[in-house]
């Protein structure tokens, strides 16, 4: 009996010890290998202007490509003094320095320590003086460097010095913007003052408060019946300054009280384009956006609707095949809703309830949803500036995978870049796709790369893809491009990397024109229907248009019953065709009536989709219609951790684009970078409509909207025309070219070069060695006055083959030089617009080299 008891006790002891051991080793194997994203550590820097802090900068963890850092700008005082303020947020700061560089990045002008500063709590205030090594009226890049906890943080800012204090009237312009914004909240006191700056007309959309412009109604500009209160003071950004115009942007937050007593938080951005004169200030453009900061509050959710309230309706939503799970992006945060599990996860965002300061809330990135499966897993890419975490202060593309079951995020790869975050964000809009086999496809600097997310290896798939050579399907899974000689079109299914070819027949060219959904549209042109105009621009007269599916099967063939097709626009399920007939007499295409191809395919709408709802109090609001009812009382809100891993997930891609052979043109609108082009004419047209500027790869202005004197005339060409003899015997194109070149001090035999078959562009490019020739076909005549304002002549070619020079303007007229007579005369600006528009707006000019 006693032995039995001992055995029982022994067995129990062994069992307990076994449990303890198993538990111990089990715990060792299941140690939580996740963590929250690291807190931000880099300080922010602002500059003092007129007693206000402006142009908040965020730190970069590596040396950036200066030539592509076209951010805000700071005019200095006459003594070249810069006053700054640094918010350390409690971090340890030392070794403050500054550099001054050429905007092209080619050379360092100055570098010095910053010694004149003091610290009060978390705020460092300091100032320094740049040496007299810089030229007045010329832009430079200022770099402030600081040691932050042993790491170097860099802050980039454009600066411009004038020999007079406040020469650009920045103080008055900033004060005007702040006052205008304040008056919109106190409209009853300032109704007359506000109204005189507005241009309310039919161009203003008064159906939504999410986008308000100078053309909107007085009610829209003053927030209508919304119960709006300013929550933060505006952050001021000076985006551009010029002698005639400046662009100011204000960022702030407002709250709105709704009927149930809750408050809604909105991000607001206001952009102002302002002209200052000694008599008054003119508001040329006003543009305000208002977007709700979604946080899955119960008031945001009804049975089958997730409300995003007042928000731009172009919200990204991507769902699983069955529609049971969908992901969406709201104000730079990624959410995933899982209907089966009745849960919603804030999957990614640099700001949250814990991190709300200016470092975390900086929206310098874009989230792209690549895939969503029925289990709730999501693959996505964050493109741009990294606010915090392991890559804080870096710019690039971070590839992540969200595991719904484990509620974790794992980084798959990080592709860093030294370009400004807005450029990387723009590139990421072009080609960005992930295959089921774990390959990421991305377009950077004109090349398409494939990155293996398992091995982090990369290879270049397609080289030097100019924007007019390729197109991508709606899903992003198919890319098509034609060869440089336009003899072959290649179609690649990125999911399988299977490629098919379309060959042009002998004597033909083939061009990709776009996708209608997943179906490719391309055109065929006979070689004898391809013509160059006097400006050297090529027009392809296409005898047939074809539509093929992803496997290359023909869905539609179209041939015009008259003439050829010279242009194609794809709009939803309609292909609009521009047709023309060749005219042997004028050696130009004469336009015919447009035609169109209708598709029988209807655009598919997902089970979960964005809709716009009209409301009585808020006008139009944006909402997500959910496939099945949301059980909001039991809805689970999740926030995942980051999965920890050993080693690096970095992928290195070094661009080898030749900026001389393949230059890019960057369009900056009222609110920053708008688009990137490799065609200067398209860039100028976009900037004209956006009231913005165009800069090139060396940070040089190519074109600026509205930066004109009241009048200007190129007197050298005026006087030259008066002294030339026997004008009537000369070719008008030859005369124009000769005058352009003589104006630059160049004498060549233009007639001989034309007889050799060289085009206008060939002759100017060969002769103007340090200048960039700009073909600006299709641009408005008014846009050409920017060059004339800088004493750069613009050559225009008419349909009859003759040429003119635009050499001057005033408020009412342009000044033209008629080369066949040598006559210089004034012609009404409206008449000039009509003349050149009726002749196709064929312009060519040049941009002088950037002097260091």
């Amino acid at each position: 009996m006693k032995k039995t008891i001992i055995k029982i006790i022994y067995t129990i002891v062994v069992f307990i010890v076994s449990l303890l051991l198993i538990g111990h080793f089990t715990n060792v194997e299941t140690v939580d290998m996740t963590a929250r994203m690291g807190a931000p550590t880099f300080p922010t820097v602002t500059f003092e202007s007129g007693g206000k802090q402006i142009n908040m900068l965020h730190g970069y963890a590596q040396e950036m490509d200066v030539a592509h850092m076209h951010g805000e700008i700071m005019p200095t005082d006459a003594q070249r003094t810069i006053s700054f303020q640094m918010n350390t947020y409690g971090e340890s700061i030392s070794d403050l320095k500054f550099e001054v560089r050429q905007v092209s990045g080619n050379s360092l002008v100055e570098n010095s320590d910053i010694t004149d500063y003091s610290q009060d709590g978390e705020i460092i205030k300091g100032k320094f003086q740049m040496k007299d090594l810089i030229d007045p009226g010329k832009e430079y890049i200022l770099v402030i460097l600081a040691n932050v906890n042993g790491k170097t943080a860099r802050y980039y800012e454009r600066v411009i010095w004038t020999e007079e204090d406040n020469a650009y009237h920045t103080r008055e312009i900033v004060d005007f913007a702040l006052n205008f914004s304040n008056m919109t909240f106190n409209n009853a006191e300032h109704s007359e003052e506000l109204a005189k700056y507005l241009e309310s007309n039919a161009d203003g959309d008064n159906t939504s408060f999410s986008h308000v412009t100078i053309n909107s109604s007085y009610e829209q500009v003053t927030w209508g019946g919304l119960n709006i209160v300013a929550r933060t003071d505006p952050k001021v950004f000076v985006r551009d300054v010029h002698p005639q115009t400046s662009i100011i942007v204000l960022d702030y937050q407002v709250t709105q009280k709704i009927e149930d007593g809750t408050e809604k938080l909105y991000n607001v951005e206001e952009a102002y384009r302002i002209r200052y004169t000694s008599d008054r200030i003119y508001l040329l453009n006003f543009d305000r956006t208002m977007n709700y900061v979604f946080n899955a509050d119960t008031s945001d959710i009804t049975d089958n609707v997730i409300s995003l309230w007042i928000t731009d309706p172009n919200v990204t939503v991507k769902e699983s095949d069955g529609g049971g799970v969908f992901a969406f992006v709201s104000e730079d945060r990624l959410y995933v809703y899982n209907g089966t599990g009745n849960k919603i996860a804030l999957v990614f965002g640099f700001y949250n309830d814990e991190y709300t300061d200016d470092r975390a809330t900086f929206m310098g990135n874009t989230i792209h949803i690549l895939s969503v499966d029925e289990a709730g897993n999501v693959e996505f890419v964050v493109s741009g500036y990294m606010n915090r975490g392991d890559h804080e202060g870096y710019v690039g593309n971070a590839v992540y995978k969200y595991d719904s079951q484990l509620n974790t995020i794992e980084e798959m790869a990080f592709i860093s870049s030294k370009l400004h975050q807005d450029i990387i964000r723009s590139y990421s809009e072009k080609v960005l796709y992930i295959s089921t086999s774990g390959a990421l496809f991305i377009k950077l600097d004109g090349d398409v790369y494939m990155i293996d997310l398992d091995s982090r290896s990369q290879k270049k798939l397609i080289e030097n893809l100019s924007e007019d050579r390729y197109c991508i399907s709606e899903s992003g899974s198919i890319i098509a491009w034609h060869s440089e000689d336009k003899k072959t079109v290649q179609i690649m299914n990125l999911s399988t990397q299977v490629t098919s070819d379309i060959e042009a027949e002998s004597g033909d060219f083939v061009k990709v024109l776009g996708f209608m959904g997943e179906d490719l549209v391309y055109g065929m042109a006979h070689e004898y229907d391809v013509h160059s105009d006097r400006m050297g621009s090529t027009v392809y007269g296409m005898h047939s248009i074809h539509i093929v599916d992803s496997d290359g099967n023909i869905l539609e063939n179209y041939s015009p019953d008259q003439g050829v097709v010279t242009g194609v626009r794809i709009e939803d399920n309609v292909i609009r065709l521009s047709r023309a007939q060749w005219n042997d007499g004028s050696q130009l295409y004469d336009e015919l009536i447009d035609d169109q191809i209708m598709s029988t395919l209807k655009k598919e709408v997902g089970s979960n989709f964005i809709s716009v709802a009209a409301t009585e109090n808020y006008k139009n609001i944006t909402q997500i219609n959910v496939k099945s009812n949301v059980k909001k009382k039991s809805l689970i809100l999740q926030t995942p951790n980051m999965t920890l891993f050993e080693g690096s997930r970095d992928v290195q891609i070094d661009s080898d684009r030749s900026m001389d052979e393949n230059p890019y043109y960057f369009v900056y609108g009222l609110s920053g970078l708008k688009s990137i082009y490799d065609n200067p004419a398209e860039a100028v047209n976009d900037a004209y409509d956006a009231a913005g500027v165009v800069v090139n790869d060396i940070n040089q202005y190519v074109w600026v909207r509205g930066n004109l004197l009241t009048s200007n005339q190129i007197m050298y060409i005026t006087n030259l025309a008066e002294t030339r003899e026997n004008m009537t015997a000369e070719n008008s194109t030859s005369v124009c070219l000769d005058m352009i070149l003589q104006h630059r001090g160049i004498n060549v035999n233009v007639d001989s070069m034309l007889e050799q078959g060289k085009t206008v562009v060939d002759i100017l490019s060969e002769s103007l060695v340090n200048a960039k020739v700009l073909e600006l076909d299709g641009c408005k005549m008014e846009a050409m006055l920017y060059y004339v304002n800088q004493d750069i002549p613009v050559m225009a070619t008419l349909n009859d083959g003759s040429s003119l020079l635009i050499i001057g303007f005033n408020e009412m007229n342009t000044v033209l030089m008629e080369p066949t007579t040598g006559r210089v005369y004034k012609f009404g600006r409206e008449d000039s617009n009509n003349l050149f528009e009726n002749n196709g707006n064929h312009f060519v000019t040049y941009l002088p080299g950037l002097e260091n």
Side-chain angles (χ1 to χ4, degrees), residues 174-191 193-194 221-223 228 230 232-234 250 252 270 272 286 288:
V174 167
D175 286 343
F176 173 87
L178 289 168
N179 185 52
F180 185 97
S181 180
N182 183 59
M183 287 192 297
T184 65
F185 292 93
N186 303 282
N187 57 300
E189 303 173 28
H190 307 284
S191 57
E193 180 75 8
L194 268 175
V221 173
T222 56
W223 308 96
I228 291 289
T232 63
D233 293 330
L250 307 180
Y252 59 96
E270 294 177 347
Y272 300 78
F286 170 71
R288 183 174 75 206

Side-chain angles (χ1 to χ4, degrees), residues 713 809-810 813-816 823-829 832:
Q713 186 166 338
F809 65 90
N810 59 31
N813 303 292
T814 58
V815 180
L816 306 178
R823 186 167 69 99
V824 174
Y825 62 97
K826 292 180 179 178
F827 199 51
R829 277 171 71 156
S832 297

Side-chain angles (χ1 to χ4, degrees), residues 102-118:
Q102 299 284 353
V103 292
S104 63
N106 289 337
S107 58
L108 175 68
V109 178
E110 176 188 3
N111 63 331
S112 301
D113 293 335
I114 300 175
T115 57
D116 186 3
Y117 67 89
S118 61

Side-chain angles (χ1 to χ4, degrees), residues 105-230:
N106 289 337
S107 58
L108 175 68
V109 178
E110 176 188 3
N111 63 331
S112 301
D113 293 335
I114 300 175
T115 57
D116 186 3
Y117 67 89
S118 61
Q119 184 164 358
D120 183 7
E122 296 183 345
I123 302 299
I124 293 175
K125 292 185 178 181
K127 63 180 179 180
F128 55 86
Q129 185 179 43
M130 297 183 291
K131 296 177 182 177
D132 58 354
L133 302 173
I134 61 176
D135 298 323
K138 182 178 176 182
E139 292 184 11
Y140 294 84
I141 296 292
L142 170 69
V143 188
I144 293 179
L145 300 92
N147 184 304
V148 184
N149 300 325
K151 295 186 293 186
T152 299
R154 293 173 169 85
Y155 301 82
Y156 293 82
E157 172 89 335
R158 284 183 295 141
V159 293
I160 188 167
W161 167 54
T162 55
E163 295 174 298
E164 296 180 12
D165 282 339
N166 200 30
Y168 290 103
H169 305 284
T170 307
R171 297 171 194 167
E172 292 85 351
I173 289 170
V174 167
D175 286 343
F176 173 87
L178 289 168
N179 185 52
F180 185 97
S181 180
N182 183 59
M183 287 192 297
T184 65
F185 292 93
N186 303 282
N187 57 300
E189 303 173 28
H190 307 284
S191 57
E192 291 186 11
E193 180 75 8
L194 268 175
K196 75 179 185 180
Y197 291 108
L198 300 181
E199 300 174 10
S200 304
N201 56 38
D203 293 333
D205 179 7
N206 296 311
T207 63
S208 172
F209 289 103
S210 68
H211 188 205
V212 175
T213 71
I214 197 171
N215 302 126
S216 299
S217 68
Y218 175 83
E219 179 194 15
Q220 291 290 111
V221 173
T222 56
W223 308 96
L226 301 178
N227 190 7
I228 291 289
V229 177

Side-chain angles (χ1 to χ4, degrees), residues 711-751:
S711 64
N712 191 52
Q713 186 166 338
I714 305 173
M715 296 309 299
Y716 180 89
I717 293 182
T718 301
N719 297 332
L720 185 63
E722 292 176 354
T723 59
R724 288 179 68 98
E725 298 178 357
N726 301 320
M727 278 276 199
T728 54
E730 297 186 68
N731 176 284
S732 63
T733 299
S734 173
V735 173
C736 287
L737 287 171
D738 193 38
M739 287 194 166
I740 290 172
L741 295 175
Q742 285 199 48
H743 180 235
R744 295 283 293 179
I746 299 169
N747 288 288
V748 297
N749 190 333
V750 174
D751 287 323

Side-chain angles (χ1 to χ4, degrees), residues 205 207-212 226 256 264-268 288-295 300 306-317 328-332 610-613 615 618-624:
D205 179 7
T207 63
S208 172
F209 289 103
S210 68
H211 188 205
V212 175
L226 301 178
Q256 175 199 24
K264 298 300 178 189
L265 178 64
Y266 290 89
N267 289 327
V268 178
R288 183 174 75 206
T289 59
M290 176 183 183
N291 290 297
Y292 176 56
V293 181
F294 179 80
N295 64 359
D300 297 337
I306 294 177
S307 181
L308 302 180
W309 299 94
I310 301 170
T311 295
D312 183 340
N314 295 311
V315 175
T316 300
V317 176
F328 65 96
V329 178
S330 170
E331 284 302 89
D332 217 20
I610 292 290
S611 66
V612 175
T615 67
Y618 315 118
K619 298 196 175 183
N620 286 350
I621 64 171
T622 300
Q623 57 189 27
I624 304 174

Side-chain angles (χ1 to χ4, degrees), residues 393-414:
Y394 285 90
V395 172
N397 289 281
V399 187
Y400 294 105
K401 183 173 183 177
Y402 169 61
D403 188 308
S404 178
Q405 290 293 106
L406 299 177
N407 193 34
T408 58
I409 301 170
E410 181 180 1
E411 180 184 293
M412 309 301 291
F414 182 68

Side-chain angles (χ1 to χ4, degrees), residues 57-58 60 64-72 156-157 239 362-364 383-385 394-396 417-427 666 668 671-673 676 699:
L57 303 183
H58 298 268
Y60 293 89
M64 303 299 287
D65 180 354
V66 169
H68 292 93
M69 297 297 288
H70 188 87
E72 282 71 43
Y156 293 82
E157 172 89 335
R239 288 278 160 83
F362 173 51
M363 293 191 182
S383 300
Y385 181 87
Y394 285 90
V395 172
S417 174
K418 293 184 178 182
L419 299 174
H420 190 276
Q421 60 266 16
D422 288 349
I423 296 176
I424 292 301
R425 294 167 74 182
S426 182
Y427 283 162
F666 303 86
Y668 291 87
S671 298
L673 182 65
I676 302 173
N699 229 340

